[in-house]
Amino acid sequence: MRAEEQRLSDIVKVQNLSPEEVLRMNTEHESLSREVESLKHKIAETSQVVVRLEVSLTRKVSDAEEALDQYTSLLSTLGLFPPLPPPLEDVDLTIDLYSAAANPQGLLSGADIRKVVKPTLSRITEMKRTAHADVESERIRVDDELDQLNLECETIEEEVLEVMNKTNALSDQADELREAAQQEALVSNAEASRLERDLAAARTAAMANGVGVKSRLQALQIAYVPFDT
């Protein structure tokens, strides 16, 4: 500053300026000096802001890359990579990040997030919700059918048990009848044997009586032969 003042003083002496002109020049010089200092301060502050913005931008880019990785992983998990099922087969939900792009509009490539991605995801969510509701309704219907089948099975089991009880009772009765029949058969066989023996004896007696009658008849026939004269 002193050197600058000395330089200006030398210029004043050489140019033979009036005191008013010197005062004006000094005032302008001080004003310019203040503005230069202010600009230096602002430049320093701007540099700090730029540094902070660069750090913030780096962090935001990192966050954006992480969010995009999660989004891409979610697309893979949900099976939303192209081609999508009808009627969304023409929609591509994949998004790429270009952090080195000079134009902020070129940071993301792919379908427009607000106009395409978000409405499509909302539509898919609604489709999934509807499908889930249909599956839940089908599950309830199947559960009802299973309950009905279980009830019918219980009824059939009771009927089968009743039939088995009746079958066991009939089997017991059949065993009793079979045993009684065997007893009756034994008695009938003994009676038949006795009758056969009696019949044989009667035949023997009849034959014996028949022989005796035949002998007497022959004797009478011989005795009755007439004498010739």
Side-chain angles (χ1 to χ4, degrees):
M1 291 295 293
R2 292 179 179 178
E4 183 66 16
E5 289 178 356
Q6 184 61 41
R7 186 181 68 82
L8 292 175
S9 177
D10 293 340
I11 292 174
V12 168
K13 291 179 180 179
V14 172
Q15 295 183 357
N16 193 21
L17 298 175
S18 64
E20 291 79 5
E21 291 176 336
V22 172
L23 179 60
R24 180 177 59 79
M25 291 178 62
N26 288 334
T27 302
E28 291 178 353
H29 178 265
E30 291 176 358
S31 176
L32 289 173
S33 297
R34 287 194 297 271
E35 290 181 2
V36 168
E37 290 297 326
S38 177
L39 288 174
K40 289 181 180 180
H41 181 69
K42 289 181 178 179
I43 290 173
E45 290 182 347
T46 302
S47 298
Q48 294 178 357
V49 171
V50 169
V51 171
R52 288 196 298 270
L53 288 176
E54 289 177 348
V55 173
S56 176
L57 178 60
T58 301
R59 184 170 60 252
K60 289 182 182 299
V61 169
S62 178
D63 293 342
E65 290 176 345
E66 182 178 356
L68 188 59
D69 289 340
Q70 294 176 355
Y71 171 78
T72 303
S73 177
L74 185 61
L75 289 182
S76 176
T77 301
L78 297 177
L80 297 180
F81 277 121
L84 297 178
L88 304 173
E89 59 271 17
D90 296 331
V91 179
D92 186 355
L93 295 176
T94 57
I95 298 174
D96 294 319
L97 175 65
Y98 296 99
S99 57
N103 186 356
Q105 299 297 327
L107 287 174
L108 294 178
S109 67
D112 188 275
I113 294 178
R114 292 182 179 178
K115 295 180 180 180
V116 178
V117 175
K118 292 181 68 175
T120 301
L121 290 177
S122 297
R123 185 173 182 183
I124 291 174
T125 300
E126 185 62 28
M127 292 169 62
K128 295 286 186 182
R129 186 179 294 112
T130 301
H132 177 74
D134 293 340
V135 170
E136 184 65 16
S137 298
E138 182 66 14
R139 184 191 66 80
I140 294 174
R141 185 187 67 80
V142 172
D143 286 344
D144 291 340
E145 290 184 356
L146 287 175
D147 292 340
Q148 182 64 29
L149 288 175
N150 287 331
L151 181 61
E152 292 178 0
C153 287
E154 292 176 357
T155 302
I156 291 174
E157 287 177 356
E158 293 176 356
E159 293 177 353
V160 169
L161 181 60
E162 183 178 356
V163 170
M164 289 181 63
N165 291 333
K166 291 181 179 180
T167 301
N168 291 333
L170 291 174
S171 178
D172 294 339
Q173 292 177 3
D175 290 339
E176 293 176 358
L177 290 175
R178 190 178 300 108
E179 184 177 355
Q182 290 176 352
Q183 293 295 331
E184 291 180 0
L186 292 175
V187 172
S188 297
N189 290 335
E191 183 66 19
S193 297
R194 185 183 64 78
L195 291 175
E196 288 177 354
R197 288 195 300 273
D198 292 345
L199 180 59
R203 287 177 178 173
T204 302
M207 290 178 64
N209 290 333
V211 172
V213 170
K214 187 175 182 181
S215 298
R216 287 195 299 273
L217 179 59
Q218 289 177 349
L220 288 175
Q221 289 176 346
I222 294 171
Y224 184 72
V225 175
F227 294 100
D228 293 332
T229 58

